[in-house]
Every structure is written in C-alpha cells, then in structure tokens.
Amino acid sequence: MRNDYFEYRHLVGFEETNLVGNVYYVNYFRWQGRCRELFLREYAPEIIDDLNGDLKLFTLKCDCEYISEITAFDEVSIRMSLFELTQTQIEFGFDYVRLGDGREEFVARGRQRIACMRGPNGATKPTRVPAGLRTALEQYAEVRRSGAADPVHLGGAVS
C-alpha cells in the first residue's frame, strides 16, 4: 500500500528541549528541513548535484501549529505531503505524530513553501521545478490528504 506522505522518524533528545522539558519550537522547523533533505536523497538524488551547481531552493514561507507537547525520548514521525506543485514552487505539508505503545498521537502540523531559483547570488530568477524532482513528487499528486482542505495541484501559472 502506498502512503500519501514521506516519513522521517526522529527520537527526541535532551538537547532539543527547553528548561521546562518540552521540545523547543525551532526544532519543528529543523525537522521539516531534515525531512525534505531525506526525501531528496531517497527520491531525487540528482537534485543534490544540481544544488551544488546553480539551483537554489528558497524557503518562502514556513509555519507550524502546535497541538500537544513533545518531550525527550518521544519518538516522532514527521510526515511530509505535497500540497501544491506549480511550475516554479512547491508547498509541502508536515504532520507531526508521536508514536508509542502501538498508538499514534497527532501533535503538530506545519507547511513549507519553496521556490526553485537559478543564477548567481544577487541575480537569481525563478526556474521550473526540475524534472527529476517533479517526477519524485508526482507519486503524491494522485492522493489527496485526508482531512486537508487544499487539493494537490500540478502545473498552474508560473509563479
């Protein structure tokens, strides 16, 4: 059975918590980035070489809504789904789920919008989502996220 998300599992360490003992908010954003990187590594490794060239993935917007606290030694599944794919931009959704005792508890949700850009620093311009990345993402395009208000879009106007 195919999932409609890419999953990154993470075991929370003490260094990710604050003085109160819950996970410090910035770590949710780090996990989004890590999940995205691992997706690229597994499904679009040729993009890594392109990123060493002139391709840039600019994060335009990133957010997270916290539902329940996570603490040290909680195992968390960060589940990345495709919300929108235009000619030059990608929007991902992230569900954070605490795993344990055979149960899953939804603890947070986030989104991240990125733009594909090319060119030297200071003179970058929007570029189409590379074919290899588009192909890797298309496996998620057919499936709508359960409970999501936004359908996945392919194509669209150049942004």
Side-chain angles (χ1 to χ4, degrees):
M1 180 177 159
R2 179 175 76 115
N3 288 327
D4 62 344
Y5 57 82
F6 175 80
E7 180 179 46
Y8 160 55
R9 289 192 177 200
H10 181 76
L11 184 63
V12 176
F14 285 124
E15 74 277 3
E16 297 171 302
T17 63
N18 57 26
L19 294 173
V20 180
N22 57 352
V23 170
Y24 188 60
Y25 77 93
V26 74
N27 290 299
Y28 291 82
F29 296 107
R30 285 185 182 134
W31 299 338
Q32 283 184 17
R34 181 73 171 151
C35 188
R36 188 178 83 183
E37 291 168 1
L38 293 174
F39 172 82
L40 291 174
R41 180 176 175 247
E42 186 169 335
Y43 290 102
E46 69 280 2
I47 298 303
I48 306 301
D49 291 335
D50 208 3
L51 287 167
N52 289 324
D54 72 339
L55 177 66
K56 295 166 180 63
L57 300 179
F58 283 180
T59 301
L60 302 174
K61 180 180 178 183
C62 193
D63 66 46
C64 191
E65 178 183 0
Y66 310 99
I67 310 300
S68 182
E69 292 183 350
I70 303 172
T71 58
F73 302 114
D74 281 345
E75 184 179 7
V76 182
S77 168
I78 297 91
R79 298 172 179 173
M80 183 180 79
S81 299
L82 178 65
F83 271 61
E84 185 177 26
L85 177 59
T86 69
Q87 290 184 25
T88 63
Q89 296 184 10
I90 306 164
E91 186 167 353
F92 295 107
F94 295 88
D95 289 338
Y96 301 80
V97 179
R98 181 186 359 245
L99 306 173
D101 300 325
R103 298 178 325 170
E104 294 187 349
E105 179 188 0
F106 180 73
V107 295
R109 77 171 56 96
R111 286 209 184 178
Q112 186 178 111
R113 186 166 196 87
I114 64 169
C116 295
M117 308 284 278
R118 287 197 186 272
N121 291 339
T124 56
K125 296 188 184 320
T127 189
R128 291 183 181 270
V129 174
L133 181 52
R134 184 172 288 280
T135 299
L137 292 168
E138 284 176 349
Q139 67 181 306
Y140 300 104
E142 300 171 41
V143 182
R144 294 179 188 244
R145 293 169 33 83
S146 58
D150 300 323
V152 172
H153 300 284
L154 287 176
V158 176
S159 302

